[in-house]
Amino acid sequence: MNFKTPLAVVVAYDKQFAGGLSVYEDIYHSLCRNANEPLVDGLDIPVYFQTNQENGEFIDVRKGINADKIVVLLLIDLYMFNGSDWTNYIDELVKEDKAGTVKVLPVALCQYAFQIHPELGEQQYIRLQNYDIRDCWQEFLIRFYDDLIRTLRASNDKLQIFISHTKKDNDHLGIEKANELKAHLRADTKLNSFYDANDILDGYSFGDQITENVKKSLLVILETETYSDREWCRIEVIVGKENHVPTVVVSLFNGKIPRTFPYLGNTPKIRFDGKWDEVICMLLRTALDKYYEEKYLEKFKQADGKVIPMMPEFINIGNIDGVKRILYPEPPLGNEELDVVKRQFPNITFSTPSQLFANSRLLEGKNVAISISESPDSSTLGIGKAMFEDLSVELARHLLISGAHLVYGGDLRPGGFTELFKDLAYQYGIYEKDKSFKNYFTNYLAWPIYIGMTPAVQAEYKSCRVNCQKAEIPDTIPVGLRDLMVPPTTVENLYYWAESLKAMRQEMESHIDARIILGGRITGFKGYMPGLYEEAVNATKANHPIFLLGGFGGASARLIQLIKGEASSDKLFEECCSHHIYQEFVSYLDKEKEDMNFKALDVFSNNMDILKNGLSKDENEKLFVTTNITEIIALVLKGLHTLGR
């Protein structure tokens, strides 16, 4: 399959711009997904960030992105304008923009922004009412979505919004709000509108003009009390549905509606509160979703299949001659809704991309461990917390869909990966209503991490379908300490933590069938070696399949360097010793590094066969570098399914 995305976005900001990272994360949540809402799928557009490094080095993150088109959003504030380290980067962007391989979208966040490069024309800039992007967030999103849509469609034409309304309301609310919206579009946006009272040409068929303009527009439906009673309103809705026109319903009625037109369903809906920008923003995001999914799903379509860039229903499926499979965007339809569609089309299979990759319960009864922690390389790779968490949750979600039981060795920090997986297990448990007593996730906890876990916290995890497994305390821990929360603040206490974490990881490994390794800190850890190194070594000793995801850096990327012969266990040990606390710990133990288990990592040296994960050499090499979440999930599931046959 071709996993090259139709579009990717890079948010570029200066390291001194305090709000840069939060702007990136909010854009990620808007364009891709929010890991805190794992059963609500986003637009799937990958988003990276670009910034200058503290040491003055400038690493262009675009080199690791696989997309048909990369849009670079330049947040030009005073720091970027004054920063000489941005000059070469922006020069290169301008050249590539002219060549058509990159689209530059500069955002003016200071009065000098237009002077940053002589060849960045002022017409390219996103200009807001003031220089505070947060203060103008809705306005920014409207401009940004508009630019992305036109980039996807390779068109400089203004987008047109068709305002569907009735003039027959007793209170004239439909026509009043239609006029209001038309005026707002003209005064405050760069969007065109079609409004039948003014825009129908003389001498041409009324019906033909209405139909053709609906087809080439984005559709705003002003739902007032008599909307569903009007023939032409119903025709406009049907034409929109049949032609997959991006649509938003604006709820305006004040009283009762005797009958709601059935084809208004399955459409985003917003209750109007006097702010047209919220309506326009929702409409443009809906349109961006449709146009992006249309292009991306085509990459996965099979010969006898058809793509529908929205939820399937009778009216939007269209011509099905020769069609056996319909591919539509995430999330999957609920069984009750899918059954209705299948009764009408019994010979067609309906699926989302996740169901293509997890098209069976081949992992039922399998325990799959996910080794994950923060990566020290995030800033140089342009990968923020939002993307890191997104991959973690999406990977876990697809494993659950395939029937796997998740295993993780973690702690209970607020906002940590344990909490993310707990929330996923809870929401997935709601999704599978008929399995009320099934656990989806086992979280292994080492002493003394679980000492502070109250009965209320334990009950919360249990209700979320999570088994909190307290690992055995090793004999090396003094009996007098076993009921205490011993902080890792001295080298002696670090020894106790290292012993306990080692025992927990060995116990966990004896209860799993495969291990996925992603990211991983290489300093600031509390064991004999970084946790992901230790878990990788345990997996090799247990002869378990290992999947190394290297595109996000960290310990996983360094294990890959061992496999490729680009690093040694000595180098990895030296890297850990660059942290003074670990140096003190090594000195305290007075042991050779062989006793610290680093020599055990030599099993990975020049040895891809050690992975035993069902993937070919070429497939593993893709997994070593890709940051494409869909591709990662597809490769991991392919390997696990191959092993399960």
Side-chain angles (χ1 to χ4, degrees):
M1 289 184 179
N2 177 14
F3 291 97
K4 193 174 187 180
T5 59
L7 189 71
V9 172
V10 175
V11 181
Y13 62 91
D14 191 90
K15 64 180 183 294
Q16 296 180 80
F17 176 24
L21 189 58
S22 69
V23 169
Y24 154 75
E25 290 188 342
D26 283 350
I27 289 174
Y28 189 98
H29 293 155
S30 297
L31 296 184
C32 198
R33 273 175 303 270
N34 187 337
N36 294 311
E37 300 174 351
L39 295 183
V40 178
D41 201 75
L43 306 192
D44 300 325
I45 300 173
V47 184
Y48 302 80
F49 71 85
Q50 174 73 65
T51 192
N52 43 344
Q53 302 299 305
E54 293 293 340
N55 61 6
E57 190 177 6
F58 200 100
I59 301 169
D60 192 343
V61 304
R62 291 177 302 143
K63 293 180 173 62
I65 299 173
N66 187 25
D68 295 327
K69 191 84 167 185
I70 298 176
V71 174
V72 180
L73 188 73
L74 277 177
L75 303 182
I76 308 174
D77 65 346
L78 291 171
Y79 296 116
M80 182 178 285
F81 180 77
N82 290 327
S84 58
D85 42 359
W86 286 98
T87 304
N88 291 337
Y89 178 73
I90 295 174
D91 276 342
E92 190 64 31
L93 286 182
V94 170
K95 290 176 188 175
E96 294 187 26
D97 186 278
K98 287 182 176 179
T101 54
V102 166
K103 173 69 175 176
V104 183
L105 285 180
V107 185
L109 299 184
C110 70
Q111 60 181 316
Y112 307 108
F114 302 103
Q115 302 173 35
I116 199 165
H117 195 283
E119 295 182 61
L120 273 180
E122 288 196 15
Q123 72 277 4
Q124 291 178 266
Y125 279 75
I126 293 179
R127 292 186 249 195
L128 307 173
Q129 290 183 15
N130 61 57
Y131 297 129
D132 185 342
I133 192 170
R134 285 298 186 189
D135 192 44
C136 307
W137 189 248
Q138 205 85 54
E139 180 190 2
F140 161 71
L141 286 179
I142 289 172
R143 291 289 309 280
F144 187 39
Y145 291 155
D146 182 17
D147 285 325
L148 291 180
I149 290 168
R150 286 188 284 110
T151 299
L152 262 178
R153 302 179 77 188
S155 170
N156 289 322
D157 295 338
K158 284 188 176 183
L159 294 172
Q160 176 173 281
I161 294 181
F162 189 106
I163 305 172
S164 178
H165 65 287
T166 175
K167 303 174 183 64
K168 300 298 182 180
D169 296 311
N170 291 329
D171 56 5
H172 306 294
L173 188 60
I175 194 167
E176 175 191 323
K177 292 303 178 186
N179 284 325
E180 195 178 294
L181 175 55
K182 181 179 176 70
H184 180 82
L185 291 170
R186 180 176 295 170
D188 297 314
T189 74
K190 294 188 175 183
L191 305 168
N192 284 336
S193 64
F194 184 90
Y195 179 19
D196 58 19
N198 307 99
D199 297 317
I200 292 176
L201 300 175
D202 295 334
Y204 293 88
S205 164
F206 173 87
D208 289 346
Q209 288 189 66
I210 291 289
T211 299
E212 290 308 310
N213 275 285
V214 170
K215 288 180 182 179
K216 65 182 183 183
S217 300
L218 313 182
L219 183 59
V220 172
I221 294 170
L222 303 182
E223 187 187 22
T224 51
E225 292 177 28
T226 64
Y227 182 87
S228 294
D229 299 337
R230 310 310 301 169
E231 178 187 4
W232 274 105
C233 292
R234 297 195 298 269
I235 290 172
E236 288 160 7
V237 173
I238 290 171
V239 171
K241 278 288 178 77
E242 289 179 336
N243 292 278
H244 303 158
V245 174
T247 303
V248 164
V249 177
V250 182
S251 177
L252 287 168
F253 61 89
N254 296 316
K256 297 178 181 178
I257 296 182
R259 173 183 181 261
T260 299
F261 190 48
Y263 301 115
L264 285 174
N266 232 356
T267 303
K269 192 169 188 175
I270 185 169
R271 186 169 189 83
F272 185 64
D273 63 357
K275 298 175 183 176
W276 286 114
D277 276 355
E278 291 183 2
V279 174
I280 296 166
C281 197
M282 186 179 189
L283 178 64
L284 291 177
R285 188 176 185 275
T286 301
L288 180 59
D289 189 17
K290 184 259 182 180
Y291 297 132
Y292 181 84
E293 293 290 2
E294 206 165 40
K295 287 179 176 289
Y296 198 39
L297 293 178
E298 282 291 336
K299 296 173 181 285
F300 307 117
K301 187 184 75 173
Q302 294 165 299
D304 56 357
K306 178 180 179 178
V307 164
I308 295 179
M310 50 192 59
M311 292 295 181
E313 54 183 319
F314 301 152
I315 194 171
N316 66 10
I317 289 174
N319 184 0
I320 59 169
D321 290 342
V323 174
K324 292 185 178 178
R325 297 176 177 85
I326 285 181
L327 187 64
Y328 64 96
E330 308 285 355
L333 291 176
N335 290 333
E336 65 286 345
E337 189 175 356
L338 190 59
D339 287 344
V340 175
V341 179
K342 281 183 173 180
R343 284 201 294 271
Q344 184 72 18
F345 303 100
N347 299 318
I348 295 179
T349 299
F350 295 85
S351 64
T352 65
S354 69
Q355 292 170 318
L356 281 182
F357 306 134
N359 56 5
S360 67
R361 303 284 289 185
L362 279 175
L363 301 183
E364 196 78 55
K366 299 293 184 183
N367 296 325
V368 179
I370 299 179
S371 298
I372 181 172
S373 71
E374 297 85 353
S375 170
D377 308 314
S378 294
S379 63
T380 58
L381 297 171
I383 294 164
K385 182 181 179 184
M387 189 175 189
F388 203 68
E389 290 181 346
D390 183 26
L391 170 58
S392 309
V393 169
E394 284 301 292
L395 187 57
R397 183 165 73 92
H398 285 75
L399 289 168
L400 288 173
I401 291 171
S402 288
H405 180 90
L406 305 181
V407 178
Y408 179 62
D411 56 28
L412 302 175
R413 285 175 297 170
F417 291 103
T418 302
E419 193 169 277
L420 276 177
F421 294 147
K422 177 200 74 174
D423 292 344
L424 175 63
Y426 171 72
Q427 294 193 43
Y428 197 81
I430 293 174
Y431 185 70
E432 289 200 331
K433 303 179 186 70
D434 58 330
K435 298 179 180 179
S436 57
F437 297 104
K438 180 178 179 180
N439 284 329
Y440 297 100
F441 168 33
T442 295
N443 185 44
Y444 278 84
L445 295 169
W447 173 92
I449 293 170
Y450 58 73
I451 293 296
M453 186 168 64
T454 65
V457 170
Q458 190 167 354
E460 181 187 358
Y461 273 84
K462 183 177 180 180
S463 71
C464 291
R465 319 291 186 83
V466 176
N467 172 31
C468 283
Q469 182 65 43
K470 298 178 182 179
E472 292 289 329
I473 301 176
D475 295 337
T476 48
I477 307 300
V479 174
L481 296 179
R482 295 186 181 190
D483 293 328
L484 303 177
M485 170 49 89
V486 176
T489 51
T490 66
V491 287
E492 184 178 18
N493 287 355
L494 278 173
Y495 165 70
Y496 296 141
W497 275 69
E499 283 287 288
S500 185
L501 288 168
K502 178 181 176 182
M504 180 272 287
R505 288 169 180 145
Q506 290 174 344
E507 182 180 337
M508 174 172 54
E509 198 67 37
S510 67
H511 292 92
I512 70 167
D513 300 290
R515 183 169 289 281
I516 300 165
I517 299 177
L518 165 64
R521 63 179 63 182
I522 51 175
T523 60
F525 53 90
K526 298 178 179 66
Y528 285 120
M529 63 196 313
L532 270 64
Y533 290 170
E534 194 164 14
E535 289 172 358
V537 168
N538 289 342
T540 63
K541 290 178 179 177
N543 207 30
H544 287 153
I546 301 170
F547 295 86
L548 290 176
L549 283 54
F552 293 72
S556 180
R558 285 150 178 80
L559 291 170
I560 291 166
Q561 289 173 358
L562 283 175
I563 287 174
K564 291 184 171 183
E566 298 170 356
S568 66
S569 59
D570 289 341
K571 273 194 170 184
L572 299 189
F573 178 68
E574 289 171 12
E575 186 177 32
C576 293
C577 285
S578 65
H579 199 270
H580 70 279
I581 294 176
Y582 190 65
Q583 288 180 25
E584 293 175 15
F585 183 48
V586 172
S587 299
Y588 168 79
L589 294 173
D590 193 26
K591 293 183 178 181
E592 297 296 328
K593 59 192 172 198
E594 288 84 358
D595 295 324
M596 301 295 292
N597 289 328
F598 275 83
K599 280 298 179 185
L601 292 171
D602 286 339
V603 72
F604 287 94
S605 295
N606 297 293
N607 184 15
M608 190 177 288
D609 293 339
I610 196 69
L611 301 178
K612 301 175 183 175
N613 60 17
L615 297 178
S616 67
K617 180 176 181 291
D618 287 345
E619 288 167 336
N620 270 305
E621 286 181 344
K622 287 180 183 176
L623 200 59
F624 289 170
V625 297
T626 183
T627 57
N628 183 308
I629 291 177
T630 307
E631 184 172 30
I632 289 169
I633 290 166
L635 287 168
V636 170
L637 290 178
K638 179 180 180 181
L640 289 170
H641 287 177
T642 300
L643 294 168
R645 290 194 181 107

